[in-house]
């Protein structure tokens, strides 16, 4: 439920809900999409990054499927297939792949401590991401 709530919250611009899914420090790895290195950050910093691009699209839909979780005491891992659709007008950018999450149970609540996106396919126009960043700044 925790990992499934994240993309839904982002698509609905409910960043406060998405932020609650994360522990106080997280490692975010989008290197398969953007290059670079995994980044350690706070949930607020991740929400700021998402707010810096997602609202610049006319619509987004991050569809998760085949969510699988393994629990070992106060630690868990989860994985899911994700198809991330991003539109500006009738133009589409669609990174597809898998999310991997590491979670910790603290104070009776599961929280994501690491999130990795592994892109397996990219459909459409990646330049829409740059356009969305410009639009989100307005």
């Amino acid at each position: 439920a925790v990992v499934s709530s994240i993309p839904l919250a982002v698509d609905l611009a409910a960043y406060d809900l998405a932020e609650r899914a994360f522990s106080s420090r997280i490692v975010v790895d989008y290197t398969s999409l953007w290059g670079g290195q995994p980044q350690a950050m706070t949930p607020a910093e991740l929400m700021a990054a998402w707010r810096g691009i997602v609202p610049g699209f006319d619509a987004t839909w991050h569809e998760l499927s085949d969510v699988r979780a393994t629990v070992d005491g106060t630690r868990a891992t989860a994985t899911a297939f994700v198809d991330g659709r991003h539109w500006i007008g009738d133009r589409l950018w669609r990174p597809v792949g898998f999310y991997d999450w590491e979670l910790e149970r603290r104070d009776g609540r599961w929280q994501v401590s690491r999130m990795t996106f592994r892109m397996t396919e990219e459909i459409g126009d990646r330049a829409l991401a740059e356009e969305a960043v410009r639009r989100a700044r307005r």
Side-chain angles (χ1 to χ4, degrees):
V2 171
V3 298
S4 294
S5 74
I6 297 167
L8 176 61
V10 172
D11 287 340
L12 295 173
Y15 298 101
D16 56 332
L17 176 62
E19 187 172 348
R20 286 194 296 269
F22 294 97
S23 61
S24 61
R25 291 291 293 171
I26 55 174
V27 175
V28 178
D29 183 347
Y30 280 110
T31 57
S32 72
L33 181 62
W34 305 117
Q37 298 295 319
Q39 301 294 311
M41 62 182 64
T42 66
E45 290 168 332
L46 177 58
M47 295 310 111
W50 284 346
R51 283 182 176 109
I53 186 171
V54 176
F57 293 104
D58 292 337
T60 62
W61 178 27
H62 295 84
E63 181 179 15
L64 291 185
S65 61
D66 199 25
V67 179
R68 296 171 188 248
T70 303
V71 177
D72 184 12
T74 60
R75 299 210 177 271
T77 58
T79 187
F81 177 79
V82 60
D83 185 342
R85 298 174 185 114
H86 307 77
W87 290 272
I88 296 178
D90 62 353
R91 296 174 296 150
L92 174 66
W93 175 50
R94 194 172 161 192
V96 177
F98 294 88
Y99 266 116
D100 299 311
W101 297 275
E102 294 177 13
L103 299 96
E104 301 170 344
R105 188 168 176 88
R106 290 196 176 150
D107 300 323
R109 214 165 58 90
W110 287 104
Q111 297 176 311
V112 173
S113 58
R114 183 179 182 97
M115 180 176 69
T116 301
F117 174 64
R118 294 181 287 122
M119 185 168 66
T120 58
E121 182 178 14
E122 185 173 30
I123 302 163
D125 187 359
R126 179 185 281 247
L128 289 181
E130 294 172 21
E131 186 175 339
V133 168
R134 287 191 301 274
R135 292 175 67 181
R137 286 184 186 143
R138 292 186 208 151

